[in-house]
């Protein structure tokens, strides 16, 4: 068929210890949006990296418009017409929009850069995507959404035949997503083939024509978007029945249990102000609010990551003064940070060492955990959390995001904490791992531990939490009952609609 | 299968290529003059038997750098560097000689005596260097000053301190126990080699039998995550610099003993660069993270082998530095990631071809 632009047949690639792709086929037609789906570690990014020349496949053929290709680098792939727009916008914020679009291939006129043409063509390109903006302004003057459009404009202008959008919507709001979809439709009408990678299933159905599902490096199937239901799709991605996630049982609300931690009026001027909260033994306290509303700062204060400037914290009856996270750990606290890469994993160390790290930190380096015990500890949690790895000596940096998150969780569960603070533990991980982490949280509450659960996804907070603190504008806006409140209630508080603070507690 | 992967990794490792480089340099020496590798037992005039030969000499003379490089490995694994070690070597020697010849006006001729008790002659230089390491460590670990700036202070100031200690004079000594440190031998093995073995094994045991090594790597790879996990990175950094200071003191005693003198201007000159180079050739990255003490030992031997080779073949002394740099450049290029990968890819290809033929 002539309308196939890209055909990948029998792609195979192995990394030490894992077969990352095993006999994977993929076809992309001219003028279609083709969603590539699968859990973390299913092989999506590996497939894209093979296509863009980052990895060389061990076997398999790739045909672009019928011609066999074997790109050796991303630049080579780009020249062939395969462009990628990554999740993080990787443009230069201090350059203008036009400069960003044309950097590295500026049109020249008499040995000098032809600014007139650059600006005119950049404006045309942005207009074509429905963006009527001043392209001579620096990129940083515009929102993430517009910056993303600029990187798409840049990608498309390099004679692209195939455009890869890797999680393009993760930092966009609803309106911006709609806008992006309009651009995608426009581009496909112009005959481009678009590969769309996302975790948001609703978006898959909103914009895709066909979808390909991968699991554990193998092809599960290729479907017409209209011919498969969401539940079927999820079941195919995860490989098991998804009813578990909808059957989670909330822990009973422990109104009579003693308070394990109390904070009164803690804050850091300019960052977050006057937060008071308490949490009981066995309770799951949710923290809702937009990104940047002060949730993470509050968690970091409670754990001693940043010093508390005002107010006080007490554990049981005793006041708690935190100079470093170690003080909090010694008092039975644990903290899974939001930014897994920056504050969580030690990428080059093994799974075993990463799991043992916090336990070892409380013991001090002169009292090492014997190798045998470390190994047992690691094995126990690899099994308990079903971390996908051939052995405990694999580097954590080589695991997928969901498995890295589980390793960090294991690090803290190994310290046997009374109070666990989880900051966005389910972000960027697949639905199967998400369900498992929620189940674990609830189980820990039933064992009598307390959990503070911070998340941007309201449905999962409501599903799990006994009580929910809603943050807005660097302060606590309200505290609501997790059993009775709805998403709409919380959204209203975040949006500051009904002035009714302190809703039903 | 699993073994093939492991050996593949080893082929890609810097340590492997460091060993290859060392063997190649030795081979060049052997081809040029076959007696380059010979070892013999000789009986000295005082009746003791000692091992002689270039390989023994390389091991012996590598001691000063190897000992310092053990501490430097940890410092570099933590993402830092210590350029004061050379100056500390000078301080160590100056203090030792000061105590051997305390009142020079009275004891104005060097001889087989010591003014202060011998244990002070050994302990006080070590204590001084340890305190200087503490100074470095406090600036870097606690006050978060950039390592190269913090250790620059003692790099410059250390030689000044050494001058002050000895009033700018150069003393010599003939005290036998002191001379034994750098020149003596036990069971035929030169004492510096034995001291080096003890230090290397001691540091290895300390690092791997306790969790210190894991903590160092953790802080070196990701300081933020290490802190959140409860590590006190400041203290870990402090200990690494204190250890490096202490080891520089040992190295300084060996050096001073070899020349039976103190030399504030030349003792330990350029040691910081040799030690850093030994660590890097041994496979520890300057950006911090995973480290290899074994690699550092090999790296230190490479540097000393090159120096010995150059001296052995009578390269004019003006050209020694340039020649040394040339060989080091070759070693580092051989170790660079693209070259390593290219070689192991080539080998993989040959292996798969052979495997294919075998199956066919």
């Amino acid at each position: 068929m002539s309308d196939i632009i890209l055909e990948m047949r029998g792609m195979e690639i192995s990394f030490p210890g894992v077969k990352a792709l095993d006999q994977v086929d993929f076809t992309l037609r001219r003028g279609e949006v083709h969603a590539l789906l699968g859990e973390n570690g299913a092989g999506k990014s590996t497939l894209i990296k093979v296509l863009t020349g980052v990895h060389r496949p061990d076997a398999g053929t790739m045909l672009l418009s019928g011609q066999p290709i074997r790109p050796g680098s991303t630049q080579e792939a780009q020249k062939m017409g395969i462009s990628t727009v990554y999740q993080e916008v990787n443009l230069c914020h201090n350059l203008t929009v036009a400069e960003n679009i044309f950097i590295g291939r500026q049109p020249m006129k008499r040995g000098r850069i032809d600014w007139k043409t650059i600006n005119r063509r950049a404006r045309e390109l942005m207009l074509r995507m429905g963006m009527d903006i001043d392209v001579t302004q620096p990129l940083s003057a515009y929102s993430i959404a517009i910056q993303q459009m600029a990187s798409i404009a840049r990608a498309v202008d390099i004679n692209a035949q195939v455009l890869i959008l890797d999680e393009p919507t993760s930092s966009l709001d609803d309106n911006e997503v709609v806008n992006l979809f309009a651009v995608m439709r426009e581009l496909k009408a112009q005959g481009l083939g678009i590969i769309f990678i996302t975790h948001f299933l609703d978006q898959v159905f909103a914009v895709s024509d066909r979808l390909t599902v991968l699991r554990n490096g193998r092809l599960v199937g290729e479907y017409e978007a209209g011919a498969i239901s969401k539940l079927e799709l999820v079941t195919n991605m995860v490989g098991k029945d998804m009813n578990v996630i909808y059957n989670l049982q909330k822990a009973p609300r422990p109104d009579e249990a003693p308070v394990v931690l109390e904070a009164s009026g803690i804050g850091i001027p300019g960052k977050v102000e006057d937060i008071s909260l308490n949490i009981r033994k066995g309770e799951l306290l949710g923290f809702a609010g937009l990104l940047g509303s002060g949730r993470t700062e509050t968690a970091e204060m409670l754990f001693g990551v940043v010093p508390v400037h005002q107010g006080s914290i007490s554990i049981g009856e005793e006041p708690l003064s935190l100079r470093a996270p170690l003080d909090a750990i010694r008092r039975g606290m644990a903290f899974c940070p939001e930014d897994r890469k920056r504050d969580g994993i030690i990428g080059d160390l093994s799974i075993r060492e990463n799991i043992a790290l916090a336990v070892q930190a409380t013991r001090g380096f002169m009292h090492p955990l014997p190798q045998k015990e470390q190994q047992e500890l690691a094995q126990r949690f690899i099994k308990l959390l079903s971390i996908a790895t051939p052995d405990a000596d694999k580097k954590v940096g080589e695991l997928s995001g969901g498995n890295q998150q589980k390793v960090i969780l294991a690090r803290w569960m190994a310290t046997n904490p009374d109070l666990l603070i989880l900051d966005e533990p389910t972000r960027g991980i697949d639905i199967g791992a998400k369900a498992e982490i929620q189940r674990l949280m609830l189980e820990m509450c039933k064992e009598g531990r307390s959990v503070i659960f911070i998340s941007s996804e309201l449905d999962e907070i409501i599903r799990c939490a006994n009580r929910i603190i809603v943050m807005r504008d660097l302060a606590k806006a309200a505290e609501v009952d997790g059993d009775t409140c709805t998403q709409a209630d919380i959204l209203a508080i975040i949006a500051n609609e009904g002035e009714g603070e302190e809703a039903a507690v | 299968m699993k073994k093939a992967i492991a050996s593949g990794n080893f082929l890609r490792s810097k340590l492997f290529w460091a060993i290859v480089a060392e063997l190649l340099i030795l081979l060049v020496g052997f081809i040029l003059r076959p007696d380059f590798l010979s070892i013999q037992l000789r009986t000295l005039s005082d009746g003791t038997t000692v091992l002689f030969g270039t390989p023994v000499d390389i091991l012996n003379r590598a001691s000063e750098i190897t000992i310092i490089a053990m501490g430097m490995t940890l410092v570099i694994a933590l993402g830092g560097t210590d350029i004061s070690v050379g100056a500390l070597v000078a301080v160590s020697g100056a203090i030792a000689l000061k105590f051997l010849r305390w009142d020079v006006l009275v004891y104005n001729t060097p001889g087989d005596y010591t003014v202060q008790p011998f244990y002070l002659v050994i302990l006080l230089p070590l204590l001084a260097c340890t305190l200087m390491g503490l100074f470095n460590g406090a600036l870097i670990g606690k006050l978060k000053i950039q390592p190269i700036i913090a250790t620059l202070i003692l790099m410059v100031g250390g030689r000044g301190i050494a001058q002050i200690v000895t009033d700018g004079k150069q003393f010599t000594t003939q005290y036998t126990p002191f001379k034994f440190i750098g020149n003596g031998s036990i069971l035929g093995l030169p004492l510096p080699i034995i001291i080096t073995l003890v230090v290397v094994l001691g540091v290895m045991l300390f690092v791997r039998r306790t969790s210190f090594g894991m903590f160092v790597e953790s802080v070196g790879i990701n300081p933020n995550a290490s802190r959140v996990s409860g590590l006190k990175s400041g203290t870990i950094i402090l200990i690494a610099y204190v250890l490096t200071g202490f080891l520089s003191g040992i190295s300084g005693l060996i050096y001073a003993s070899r020349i039976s003198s103190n030399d504030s201007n030349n003792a330990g000159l350029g040691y910081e660069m040799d030690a850093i180079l030994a660590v890097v050739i041994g496979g520890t990255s300057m950006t911090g993270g995973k480290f290899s003490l074994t690699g550092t030992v090999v790296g230190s031997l490479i540097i000393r082998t090159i120096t010995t080779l150059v001296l052995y073949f009578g390269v004019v002394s003006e050209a020694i530095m340039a020649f040394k740099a040339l060989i080091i450049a070759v070693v580092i290029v051989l170790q660079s990631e693209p070259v390593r990968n290219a070689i192991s890819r080539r080998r993989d290809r040959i292996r798969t071809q052979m495997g294919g033929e075998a199956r066919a």
Side-chain angles (χ1 to χ4, degrees), chain B residues 281-297:
Chain B
I281 291 178
T284 304
S285 159
M286 281 301 284
T287 51
K290 290 284 218 180
F291 64 86
S292 162
L293 291 170
T294 319
T296 300
V297 173

Side-chain angles (χ1 to χ4, degrees), chain A residues 303-305 324-326 329 335 341-349 353 357-358 360-361 365-366 368 411-412, chain B residues 2 5 9 206 209-212 214-215 217-218 221-222 224-232 236 239 290:
Chain A
F303 197 65
V305 179
L326 184 59
I329 299 169
F335 175 51
K341 282 237 146 48
R342 200 186 60 141
D343 300 326
I345 61 163
I346 316 286
D348 276 349
L349 290 189
E353 289 167 313
L357 194 61
Q360 190 60 62
F365 64 79
M366 287 313 283
R411 175 190 296 164
W412 293 116
Chain B
K2 198 161 184 186
I5 289 166
N9 282 342
F206 169 60
R209 282 292 165 87
T210 72
S211 301
F212 192 72
M214 180 171 116
F215 283 10
E217 291 183 335
S218 181
I221 295 165
N222 189 341
N224 283 322
S226 301
R227 187 173 123 80
V228 172
S229 304
L231 299 192
K232 297 202 151 167
I236 292 161
I239 293 172
K290 290 284 218 180

Side-chain angles (χ1 to χ4, degrees), chain B residues 51 104 107 178 204 248 303 330:
Chain B
L51 281 172
V104 195
Y107 302 93
F178 187 71
M204 279 180 177
S248 305
I303 294 173
V330 172

Side-chain angles (χ1 to χ4, degrees), chain B residues 13 37 61 65 70 85 90 97 112 126 141 143 167 195 219 247 274 290 342 348:
Chain B
S13 76
L37 290 183
R61 294 284 171 161
I65 297 297
M70 288 294 104
V85 292
L97 266 295
D112 190 356
L126 295 182
L143 302 183
D167 296 329
I195 297 174
V219 172
L247 295 176
D274 277 355
K290 290 284 218 180
D348 287 350

